[in-house]
Amino acid sequence: MSADRRKPLIGLTGRRFRMNLISGSHPGYGHRLTDSFMSDFAHRIARAGGVPVMLPYDADPHALCDWLSGVVITGGQDVHPSCWGGDESAVRDIDPLSDPGVHDLDRDMFETALTTAALDRELPLLGVCRGMQVLNVTLGGTLIPDLPAGPVRHLMATGPLSDGDPEHVVTFDPGTRAHAVFGDRLVTNSWHHQAIDICGKGLVVTGRTADGVAEAVELSDAPALGVQWHPEWMVGDDGALRWIVDAAAARL
């Protein structure tokens, strides 16, 4: 295939857990491990012209970046507070392979290493929800461990494939990458109880809700963008996954 017809290879991170968590799986497989990712990402990346591939923790991040055209750090459980200097006293000592909702240091280590490798190679990188926080933590930033109740609801009660509550409006700073992708404002879904507190080196908040919570971040000197909502579950196409595919394609 000629270079001008190649499609960009977009890596997706995910979770690892034991097969006994899957209803109906054979008991003989119960202790075996499986890797998973949200198929919504794959569908939308393929629709935007990219080739989605899942990235297991075992893969060497630098070797991956020899092949990938772009990286998406996806959503999921909280980043372990040891990664950003947070309070570890409330961390539950539970096997993340048996409960995908608890902290998973193996995932944290893989994703921060992959983020570092992608930034070093100047690969386009999109951080989604947890992934935006991973981007910040990788650059030395900190997190708000639990957002207080306020005028904007950040932990939605409705299910996936939703554009969120009407008051969850994100406004974007003119002249930024986020503004170019999303415009002046965007109503988004929201499933997070943590948020960026202090930005890591070079990272700038370029989108916020009315209560001041960071909803979009970016690096001015690298093709990196983070969003606190879930573009893979938006009813409409918000532009985030098209951005990563287009940015990756431009490097081919």
Side-chain angles (χ1 to χ4, degrees):
M1 182 177 289
S2 63
D4 60 348
R5 293 179 59 196
R6 289 173 54 202
K7 292 184 176 183
L9 201 64
I10 309 297
L12 300 170
T13 65
R15 304 192 197 200
R16 175 168 289 178
F17 55 86
R18 298 195 188 282
M19 287 287 289
N20 59 15
L21 294 179
I22 302 177
S23 177
S25 62
H26 191 284
Y29 303 146
H31 201 64
R32 308 312 301 170
L33 303 180
T34 186
D35 291 329
S36 72
F37 70 104
M38 293 295 178
S39 300
D40 306 88
F41 278 112
H43 173 71
R44 297 208 178 195
I45 285 171
R47 192 171 68 186
V51 179
V53 291
M54 186 184 173
L55 309 179
Y57 304 168
D58 316 84
D60 177 82
H62 289 280
L64 283 173
C65 290
D66 288 336
W67 296 93
L68 295 175
S69 307
V71 171
V72 180
I73 308 295
T74 66
Q77 62 269 70
D78 296 343
V79 180
H80 198 286
S82 65
C83 298
W84 52 274
D87 181 8
E88 298 182 49
S89 63
V91 173
R92 294 183 294 165
D93 186 18
I94 299 175
D95 178 13
L97 299 175
S98 298
D99 183 349
V102 302
H103 299 92
D104 185 348
L105 267 172
D106 286 340
R107 182 180 183 185
D108 295 336
M109 295 301 99
F110 172 68
E111 290 186 340
T112 53
L114 179 61
T115 297
T116 298
L119 294 177
D120 287 347
R121 300 290 186 89
E122 298 186 346
L123 289 181
L125 182 142
L126 175 66
V128 172
C129 199
R130 164 195 159 88
M132 170 169 144
Q133 296 168 13
V134 168
L135 172 61
N136 186 52
V137 167
T138 302
L139 294 170
T142 62
L143 304 177
I144 299 170
D146 206 13
L147 286 168
V152 179
R153 183 171 185 165
H154 291 281
L155 196 57
M156 289 175 49
T158 55
L161 273 186
S162 169
D163 286 348
D165 300 321
E167 76 273 11
H168 196 274
V169 178
V170 183
T171 57
F172 304 97
D173 295 342
T176 62
R177 180 177 296 117
H179 187 269
V181 174
F182 307 115
D184 293 330
R185 64 193 298 276
L186 184 68
V187 176
T188 74
N189 56 35
S190 187
W191 283 286
H192 66 105
H193 76 103
Q194 296 192 330
I196 286 180
D197 185 10
I198 299 173
C199 281
K201 184 178 180 181
L203 202 64
V204 178
V205 177
T206 54
R208 296 183 185 270
T209 40
D211 56 358
V213 170
E215 293 282 341
V217 294
E218 60 192 71
L219 288 168
S220 59
D221 59 351
L225 177 66
V227 297
Q228 193 58 69
W229 65 92
H230 286 263
E232 77 278 19
W233 289 337
M234 291 284 284
V235 174
D237 180 359
D238 67 348
L241 294 168
R242 279 189 293 109
W243 171 79
I244 187 70
V245 171
D246 290 346
R251 299 182 77 259
L252 295 178

